Amino acid sequence: MISYVQNYWNLYVDFLERFRSVEYHGTPIVLCSHFYQLIKDNQTVEQFSQNKPSSKQLEPVQTRFNRLLPPGYSQQSHTKSPIVFHDQLLRIPFKLLKKHYHKRDLIILRNQTNPKTSTPFQIEQLNEFEKTTQIKPYQRQLKQLFNKQTYHPVFSDTTFQQNLLNELSKIIPTLQAAENFMKHISVSGFVLGSTNHLEGRALALVARQHGIPTICMQHGIIASPLGYLPKLADFLAVYGNYERNLYLNSGVPSENIKVIGHPRFDEINHPPQTNRRTFNRKLRIHPKQKNILIISHHEQFNDLESIMRELNNQPVNIIIKPRTHVKKLRTYSKRYSNVYLAKGIQLYDLIRYADIVVSYESTVALEAMIASKPVFIWKQNSPNPIDYFQDLDPFFYQESHKLVNNLKYFLGNIRQTSTLTSLESFLTKQGIQLRHSSMLLLKNLIDCELLSQ
């Protein structure tokens, strides 16, 4: 895995160096490219990904990336202008924004407007700032560079080249929209949910050109550094020490990393939106049985049915929170009498009324710990293993029968404190912010770093 990541970054930097001359108004368009998707399923990449990296390749990726960034302009003072929250993967509850910001101080920027959303804030739609743009001149420039890649094992691949050409139809209009937005609307800074997606990257890069500071939030636990690096925003607002250390080791200066948790964590221990009687009635569960909440996502739970089968005769309610495969899970709920699909109930209420949470390696597992719930984590068997939860080894399971056996034991000893003590120690070690409001910490970061320029 280490060799793969190092070789990936080497290939990525090589990609930027070879194609950075194709620019849109001073911004190299390849900085907005989703490189991981460009090389996905490329057999050549798979072949050399396990090669031992050279000493040059071991230089921190952020250090190498910074040398390829176009120069930014000194930050301008727009202290009386609103802050823009780019509502993509931001996941900050509206009621927290309403509590801390006046409607004139904040703009919600979206890719598309949701007519069902009720908010007092000004809402702008990014794609409304697009104009008709010629893509062909940029395609011609890229094709000229393709002609120079004849002997490159990846960049000479016709599928790779076509994928990059196809990206232009999205990259150029998005850069244009970001530029037009900042020309027409005065803002003091941006809070972004991610810079690994096109819109967030375009906003961060264009804001840099305009001298407008930016903060990028952490939208979930870091399953792979490929989805969180390189850093494009001025500041990174992260969950805790794990993320801080990862960015430090990748070459990000400490002053650009701020540990604040996440504002949505503030909601975890607030009063539930649904009372227990309504909760039981909606799910039609047995009110006197223990609730096991299982978070199902993608193909992580290939053995999910075996877990259901082994717990079928236990006096428990198995509540499944699905992300995908809903039709298949619906079949399971009909096959096993104590399996229920969670519908129409907010995640934190599901966690609140759960006696045990079983999750793949996800942010939900962290959120359940913050809610002081016993958490059993299903360890993923994937090419990109997550090491975030590695210090919780007693609660890590790869084999379904071991997970079930420990669940059964815990159900019979649910009042024991050792499990929760271990989870609390994990949160303390990670430096997860529990004593202070993350929303207030974010607001303080905005006031100090964005509005004080």
Side-chain angles (χ1 to χ4, degrees):
M1 176 59 185
I2 294 175
S3 294
Y4 176 84
V5 171
Q6 291 171 342
N7 284 320
Y8 172 88
W9 289 127
N10 182 64
L11 185 63
Y12 178 58
V13 171
D14 188 15
F15 167 69
L16 297 181
E17 289 174 340
R18 289 171 183 261
F19 297 101
R20 65 187 301 230
S21 61
V22 184
E23 296 183 345
Y24 176 84
H25 295 184
T27 298
I29 61 169
V30 289
L31 291 177
C32 289
S33 175
H34 196 177
F35 184 65
Y36 182 82
Q37 289 297 323
L38 288 182
I39 63 172
K40 187 178 181 182
D41 301 324
N42 187 305
Q43 296 302 315
T44 304
V45 174
E46 294 297 327
Q47 291 172 9
F48 76 77
S49 62
Q50 301 305 320
N51 293 343
K52 184 178 180 180
S54 67
S55 58
K56 177 183 177 182
Q57 293 170 302
L58 299 179
E59 186 180 21
V61 60
Q62 190 65 42
T63 304
R64 302 171 68 189
F65 180 79
N66 288 344
R67 291 198 289 264
L68 298 171
L69 279 173
Y73 292 90
S74 58
Q75 293 183 349
Q76 303 171 14
S77 177
H78 299 281
T79 55
K80 295 184 179 180
S81 301
I83 293 288
V84 176
F85 281 70
H86 182 229
D87 194 22
Q88 183 184 34
L89 296 176
L90 199 55
R91 297 169 181 168
I92 298 178
F94 272 126
K95 62 181 179 182
L96 291 182
L97 296 178
K98 292 177 186 176
K99 180 179 178 180
H100 294 282
Y101 285 96
H102 189 275
K103 61 182 180 180
R104 67 171 176 268
D105 298 326
L106 190 149
I107 294 174
I108 304 293
L109 180 62
R110 290 179 170 156
N111 304 324
Q112 293 182 343
T113 299
N114 183 356
K116 296 182 180 180
T117 302
S118 176
T119 171
F121 303 115
Q122 177 183 344
I123 295 181
E124 296 291 343
Q125 190 170 326
L126 186 60
N127 62 2
E128 288 184 350
F129 291 85
E130 294 177 10
K131 304 292 182 183
T132 303
T133 306
Q134 287 292 324
I135 307 297
K136 289 184 179 180
Y138 303 98
Q139 290 178 330
R140 284 196 293 268
Q141 292 180 59
L142 278 179
K143 288 178 180 178
Q144 290 174 358
L145 292 177
F146 290 159
N147 292 332
K148 300 178 181 180
Q149 314 304 322
T150 306
Y151 300 105
H152 194 283
V154 177
F155 305 150
S156 63
D157 179 68
T158 55
T159 300
F160 169 86
Q161 294 178 358
Q162 190 58 52
N163 287 342
L164 182 54
L165 291 171
N166 292 342
E167 271 196 318
L168 289 181
S169 63
K170 296 180 180 179
I171 292 175
I172 302 301
T174 305
L175 282 169
Q176 181 193 63
E179 188 175 69
N180 288 338
F181 176 82
M182 287 174 230
K183 283 181 179 178
H184 290 89
I185 298 180
S186 177
V187 301
S188 55
F190 285 88
V191 179
L192 308 171
S194 171
T195 57
N196 193 44
H197 292 79
L198 173 56
E199 293 80 9
R201 286 202 168 199
L203 290 168
L205 288 166
V206 176
R208 175 185 172 88
Q209 284 189 321
H210 285 72
I212 301 172
T214 54
I215 296 171
C216 183
M217 305 293 295
Q218 181 180 342
H219 63 272
I221 68 164
I222 299 180
S224 167
L226 308 186
Y228 289 81
L229 285 164
K231 177 186 84 71
L232 276 171
D234 296 302
F235 298 95
L236 298 172
V238 302
Y239 289 175
N241 295 330
Y242 175 91
E243 296 81 8
R244 176 180 170 80
N245 291 334
L246 184 146
Y247 283 119
L248 285 173
N249 292 334
S250 300
V252 178
S254 60
E255 61 268 23
N256 297 124
I257 312 168
K258 307 296 180 179
V259 175
I260 69 166
H262 195 285
R264 74 176 183 276
F265 295 168
D266 292 353
E267 301 282 281
I268 291 177
N269 293 308
H270 284 187
Q273 296 182 15
T274 306
N275 62 45
R276 185 176 284 275
R277 178 176 292 182
T278 303
F279 177 85
N280 292 339
R281 178 175 53 80
K282 278 189 173 184
L283 293 183
R284 299 180 181 180
I285 60 177
H286 196 294
K288 293 185 179 181
Q289 293 184 163
K290 300 297 183 184
N291 295 330
I292 298 177
L293 173 63
I294 300 181
I295 308 300
S296 174
H297 181 57
H298 299 313
E299 66 281 349
Q300 268 41 316
F301 271 93
N302 291 327
D303 292 331
L304 179 57
E305 185 176 11
S306 67
I307 296 174
M308 295 178 186
R309 184 170 57 250
E310 293 189 58
L311 290 173
N312 189 42
N313 296 321
Q314 298 294 315
V316 295
N317 302 312
I318 302 174
I319 302 170
I320 309 293
K321 175 67 173 175
R323 290 286 299 274
T324 57
H325 306 308
V326 176
K327 186 176 180 180
K328 188 174 182 180
L329 289 171
R330 205 172 278 130
T331 302
Y332 291 159
S333 67
K334 293 177 181 178
R335 185 177 302 166
Y336 303 106
S337 59
N338 63 344
V339 171
Y340 308 87
L341 289 193
K343 294 180 291 185
I345 297 180
Q346 201 260 354
L347 173 63
Y348 287 174
D349 284 357
L350 290 171
I351 293 175
R352 172 177 287 274
Y353 295 126
D355 295 288
I356 298 174
V357 177
V358 179
S359 174
Y360 64 100
E361 297 164 280
S362 72
T363 309
V364 180
L366 175 62
E367 291 166 319
M369 289 183 215
I370 295 173
S372 299
K373 296 293 179 178
V375 180
F376 292 79
I377 299 171
W378 184 275
K379 187 172 177 60
Q380 295 173 213
N381 185 18
S382 70
N384 295 324
I386 303 171
D387 62 356
Y388 184 86
F389 297 104
Q390 66 179 4
D391 291 338
L392 283 174
D393 189 59
F395 310 102
F396 250 169
Y397 303 92
Q398 281 186 311
E399 300 176 21
S400 60
H401 72 277
K402 289 185 178 180
L403 187 149
V404 171
N405 288 340
N406 280 277
L407 277 176
K408 290 178 180 178
Y409 172 79
F410 190 84
L411 285 168
N413 301 271
I414 206 160
R415 294 186 181 277
Q416 66 180 4
T417 60
S418 58
T419 297
L420 291 179
T421 301
S422 298
L423 297 177
E424 289 170 2
S425 298
F426 172 81
L427 293 176
T428 301
K429 181 178 179 180
Q430 294 291 358
I432 301 298
Q433 183 56 244
L434 297 177
R435 294 186 178 182
H436 304 286
S437 162
S438 289
M439 186 66 218
L440 284 177
L441 292 174
L442 173 60
K443 190 174 188 302
N444 182 63
L445 176 60
I446 291 171
D447 292 344
C448 293
E449 303 296 352
L450 303 193
L451 298 181
S452 65
Q453 303 298 325

